[in-house]
Amino acid sequence: MAEERRIPFANISEENESLRSEIEAAMKAVIDGSKFILGPAVEEFEKDFANYCDAKHAVAVNSGTTALQLALIACGVGEGDEVITTPHSWISTSWAIRYVGAKPVFVDVNADTCILSPDLVEAAITPKTKAILPVHLYGRAADMPQLRAIADKHKLALIEDAAQAHGARRDGRRVGSHGDCGCFSFYPAKNLGAWGEGGAITTNDAAKADHMRRLRDHAQDGRHHHTELGFNARMDGLQGATLGVKLKHLDQNNAGRASAAAQYANELAGVAGIKLPSDPGDAGHVWHLYSVVIEDLDREEFRNAMKKRGVDTGVHYPTPIHLQPAFADLGHERGSFPVAEDIMARCVSLPMFPGLPESDVNYVCEMIRDVLKAG
Ligand SMILES: Cc1ncc(COP(=O)(O)O)c(C=O)c1O
C-alpha cells in the first residue's frame, strides 16, 4: 500500500554509519593527542580541502556563517559599505553582511537558475558598493565569469557563498576558486557535512588567508598580542578529523546525487504543472537540493498530498530575505524582487541524498504525477 511507504527528504545516517569506523579512528587520534582546537587534523583537512577546491588556501572555522563574516572583513568590507547579494538564500548570507556593519543590496534572481542575475548587478552598484556576494544556490554554480568581469571593472570584491555547493564547477574550476574568497558550511546535512558545526573559507590570496587565520583566533599576532577586533571562530579537531575522512567520499556522493537528479529529470519530463531545475552539465550542479516549482496547485496542498503518499518534502526557502522582519528597516515591500518572490512562493524540494534508491525516486515521481493529475 502506498500509505506504508516513507521516503525521507534527507538521510544523513546511512553515510555516517558507513564511515563510522573510519571517522572514529580519525577522532581517536585527536583524542589521544588532546588536539581539540585546530591542530594537525584541521591543518591536514585545510590542505586537502584547498586542493579539492582548486584554491591555494583554506581556513577552517566554526560555521559557514562565520566564514562569510571573516571573508567580508578580509575583503575590507565594513561600516557603511554596500554588498550586492540575493534575496533567495538561507538568511546567513545577509546576516554576515550586517555583522560587519554593511548593508545588503538585493538584486533579483534569474528565473531559470534561481541565482543572482548578473545582468542586474551593474545597475545596483553605487559609490558605496564594496563587494558582490552571489550564492551557489541548491548546489548550482553562479555565473562566475560574468560576475568576475563586473567585479573587476568596478574594483569590487567577489565573495562566493558556496555553503551548498562543495565540488560544483564552473568552466572546469571548482567553486571557491573563482572569487576573492569562497565560503563553505559543513553543517551535517550539507554535501560535505561535519559531525557538528563547521565552515571554511578558500582563497588564492595568501595575505587574506593569513588575516582570516588571525581573525578566527582572537586576532592574535603572536601570543597575547591582539591586532584588531578578533573572534573565537576556530574549527575543533574532531570536526577536522571527520571532514578529512568525509572529503574522500565527496565526489562519489555528489555522483549519487547527480544520478538521482538525472532520474527525476527523466521521469518527470513533460509532466504538466511542475517546473524542473535545468542541468547546466559539466558538474556545474552538485544537487544539494532538488527544488522544483509547483505551477498551479497550492504548495501546501501539494506537500500534504505527497506526505499522505509517504513522501517528505522541504521548502528552501519560503520567505525572501528582503521580507524577513529582521530586515524590515531596509524598507522593501512585496513586489521589490518579483522573480525571487514568485519562485519562493511555489518552490518545493524533493527527496535528495546520495544513497536515495532508484526505486524511491521512481515512486516519488509516480506520486507527483498522481497528485498533479488529481489536482
Ligand atoms: C547558502 C548558505 N549560506 C550560509 C549558510 C550558513 O552556514 P552555517 O549553518 O554553517 O552557519 C548556509 C547553511 O545553512 C547556507 O545554506
Side-chain angles (χ1 to χ4, degrees), residues 163-228:
Q164 301 186 357
H166 320 71
R169 292 179 195 268
R170 179 67 204 225
D171 292 350
R173 263 194 303 129
R174 286 212 158 101
V175 300
S177 67
H178 295 257
D180 297 274
C181 289
C183 304
F184 293 84
S185 163
F186 304 122
Y187 183 79
K190 296 294 197 237
N191 288 38
L192 178 59
W195 282 7
E197 302 277 4
I201 311 111
T202 50
T203 181
N204 289 320
D205 181 331
K208 282 191 179 62
D210 280 351
H211 188 187
M212 292 185 285
R213 281 185 213 290
R214 286 196 303 279
L215 285 170
R216 76 175 170 186
D217 191 18
H218 301 283
Q220 291 188 94
D221 175 10
R223 190 100 176 110
H224 298 307
H225 186 251
H226 309 274
T227 51
E228 62 188 296

Side-chain angles (χ1 to χ4, degrees), residues 71-125:
L72 285 159
I73 297 171
C75 288
V77 181
E79 207 63 45
D81 293 333
E82 294 180 356
V83 178
I84 295 174
T85 192
T86 166
H88 192 348
S89 182
W90 170 244
I91 193 89
S92 296
T93 317
S94 287
W95 281 156
I97 296 169
R98 266 290 163 83
Y99 291 162
V100 303
K103 175 182 167 189
V105 172
F106 299 111
V107 155
D108 213 344
V109 300
N110 177 297
D112 288 323
T113 63
C114 306
I115 290 176
L116 176 75
S117 175
D119 294 341
L120 302 176
V121 168
E122 277 197 287
I125 295 173

Side-chain angles (χ1 to χ4, degrees), residues 9 138 274-275 277 289-294 297-300 302-303 306 312-317 343-351 368:
F9 162 67
Y138 301 150
I274 185 169
K275 185 176 174 203
L289 295 166
Y290 193 89
S291 184
V292 300
V293 171
I294 299 302
L297 199 59
D298 172 78
R299 172 165 62 199
E300 285 317 303
F302 174 80
R303 295 187 68 211
M306 291 299 285
D312 290 340
T313 58
V315 174
H316 301 86
Y317 298 89
I343 293 169
M344 295 172 88
R346 298 187 293 147
C347 61
V348 174
S349 305
L350 303 183
I368 290 174

